[in-house]
Amino acid sequence: NESYDDICAHLIKATGSNDPGRDDFDGATNFVLALNENATGADATARLCRVIMGQRAECARCHDDALRQRSQREFWQLAATMGSVEITVLRPSRGRLADIDRKQAVELQFQDKNGQSHSVSPGDLAGERLPSSLDASLRTQLAVELVASDDFSQAAVNRFWTALLNYGFTLPVDDMGRHNPVSDPELVDLVSSQFVMHGYDLRELLRWIALSDAFDRSDVITPANIQDAPTAGGAPLFSRYYYRPVLFAEPKQGLALLAAGGAPQATYGVDERKRQMLNARRQRDPRSKTSTAPRSDVMGQLLPSHYLSLIRSLAAADLTREQQFEHAFMVVQSRAPDEAEQAEAEAIWQAADGVTVTAL
């Protein structure tokens, strides 16, 4: 029953350890712990902007990003805020996260594209310096500012609309801004303002989307909606439901195919480079009805593309085969595999000839 703003603020400002056996355990600390290995806060800043604010900031890590109107100094000011932490390693993959006293926060050094060094103090997403006189930690103050912004609520609407209708109001979903305006600004403004007024209640937001005309429409392509083809590079018009084909009604059917030596395929109609090209073409000519995009991948894929990063992480982790499989199953199915599925997993490993990524 937590509100979405509280969930995201908790991810930004969490303290404690990510070890379930300790009294100060807080799983939300993983958001920063997993992305702060270099202790600069840069990786955590880039992920925060994408996941929570729907913006891509990583280009400004190395130079001023003229396209998104973000300076390198602004990026590193935000990184100084996210990096104002002290990390204690408890054991492999387990650590404790604590805030540095904001009065003792040091300036962060970075180099511009010409190799010149600069130093910045902690700041927010707009590049405004955070004062050192408040009692709250720097990350806590940042969290309060971010979740109260219009960008935060609009990014949430865009992301959850995408989750239910397969396409959102921007392409990609995590690159919103003046350079990539939303396709239906009145709708986004209306829904995001109502989302705020209803206390960032995710159940309400999902209910509105599921009861909308766009969600209720047929996925049948007709002469009247044939131009509504986002897979060909056009902006989604939501005149029909964008059906995502699946081959299997339940997991064990897919597992059986893999156990028999079938090859997994990723659901991704247009690869990222092609997606960027099509997006740039649309921005140059919003009326473009180009259909030069490649055909979608083979129908009946086994897994969404966002699981591929999980697969790579699991393959590199120091885990047994059984632990890797159970972890993957928990992520996808939200439950542990049963005995029959464990047995099929062993057949899958054999069919994959020892290639961990293929098996996973």
Side-chain angles (χ1 to χ4, degrees):
N1 295 321
E2 278 197 78
S3 60
Y4 187 65
D5 60 332
D6 285 344
I7 293 172
C8 292
H10 189 189
L11 290 174
I12 298 171
K13 66 182 182 181
T15 59
S17 76
N18 65 346
D19 190 339
R22 297 181 183 267
D23 293 337
D24 63 347
F25 169 70
D26 186 347
T29 57
N30 280 305
F31 185 76
V32 173
L33 284 174
L35 297 164
N36 215 359
E37 293 182 358
N38 55 12
T40 64
D43 292 340
T45 295
R47 180 62 60 88
L48 177 151
C49 290
R50 278 198 181 213
V51 173
I52 296 179
M53 304 304 295
Q55 301 174 15
R56 295 193 175 187
E58 51 265 37
C59 284
R61 183 172 184 164
C62 302
H63 57 81
D64 292 344
D65 187 352
L67 179 64
R68 297 172 178 83
Q69 299 179 315
R70 188 181 305 282
S71 70
Q72 188 181 13
R73 175 173 290 273
E74 289 173 345
F75 177 88
W76 285 104
Q77 281 182 307
L78 185 59
T81 301
M82 293 302 296
S84 61
V85 296
E86 182 178 355
I87 298 175
T88 304
V89 177
L90 301 175
R91 56 188 176 90
S93 76
R94 293 290 181 262
R96 177 176 289 111
L97 184 66
D99 284 302
I100 296 175
D101 188 331
R102 62 186 300 148
K103 296 180 181 179
Q104 299 177 357
V106 297
E107 292 190 338
L108 187 63
Q109 301 286 330
F110 73 92
Q111 285 188 338
D112 61 23
K113 62 180 180 180
N114 297 318
Q116 295 182 336
S117 296
H118 304 269
S119 48
V120 293
S121 299
D124 58 19
L125 195 61
E128 298 293 331
R129 182 173 178 176
L130 295 175
S132 59
S133 57
L134 301 181
D135 293 333
S137 70
L138 289 167
R139 289 189 301 141
T140 297
Q141 185 182 350
L142 175 67
V144 171
E145 290 188 15
L146 292 187
V147 301
S149 68
D150 291 339
D151 289 343
F152 171 76
S153 56
Q154 292 184 1
V157 169
N158 193 30
R159 187 172 289 279
F160 285 99
W161 184 279
T162 303
L164 267 69
L165 282 95
N166 302 329
Y167 285 94
F169 303 108
T170 61
L171 181 66
V173 69
D174 58 1
D175 194 16
M176 303 175 70
R178 294 182 181 178
H179 67 289
N180 189 24
V182 297
S183 58
D184 297 87
E186 296 87 356
L187 177 58
V188 173
D189 288 343
L190 171 65
V191 179
S192 61
S193 64
Q194 289 295 315
F195 186 44
V196 175
M197 292 174 64
H198 283 74
Y200 299 92
D201 189 333
L202 279 179
R203 291 166 298 186
E204 287 293 329
L205 176 59
L206 294 172
R207 184 178 294 115
W208 299 335
I209 298 173
L211 293 176
S212 68
D213 288 344
F215 188 83
D216 192 43
R217 288 180 177 138
S218 168
D219 65 340
V220 176
I221 299 177
T222 68
N225 65 23
I226 195 171
Q227 296 295 339
D228 189 359
T231 55
L237 305 176
F238 304 108
S239 62
R240 61 182 177 85
Y241 188 84
Y242 306 112
Y243 182 55
R244 179 182 293 157
V246 292
L247 184 59
F248 306 111
E250 52 186 32
K252 60 177 57 181
Q253 293 177 333
L255 292 173
L257 173 71
L258 293 172
Q265 295 178 350
T267 302
Y268 214 125
V270 183
D271 66 35
E272 181 63 22
R273 286 174 297 179
K274 185 68 70 175
R275 196 176 287 271
Q276 292 174 354
M277 179 200 71
L278 295 171
N279 195 37
R281 183 180 300 167
R282 268 208 317 278
Q283 290 171 26
R284 289 196 302 268
D285 183 7
R287 298 166 298 176
S288 172
K289 297 178 180 178
T290 177
S291 59
T292 58
R295 294 171 55 191
S296 295
D297 293 338
V298 178
M299 303 282 279
Q301 296 87 344
L302 295 177
L303 71 165
S305 62
H306 62 269
Y307 289 140
L308 296 180
S309 60
L310 168 69
I311 290 171
R312 287 191 290 267
S313 298
L314 279 177
D318 184 19
L319 300 172
T320 65
R321 296 194 324 194
E322 292 76 11
Q323 290 172 329
Q324 287 176 327
F325 176 71
E326 183 173 355
H327 190 98
F329 213 94
M330 287 291 292
V331 170
V332 179
Q333 298 299 328
S334 299
R335 65 174 176 83
D338 58 28
E339 292 184 3
E341 290 160 344
Q342 287 280 15
E344 288 179 314
E346 185 58 35
I348 290 172
W349 283 105
Q350 295 176 6
D353 292 328
V355 182
T356 303
V357 170
T358 301
L360 287 173

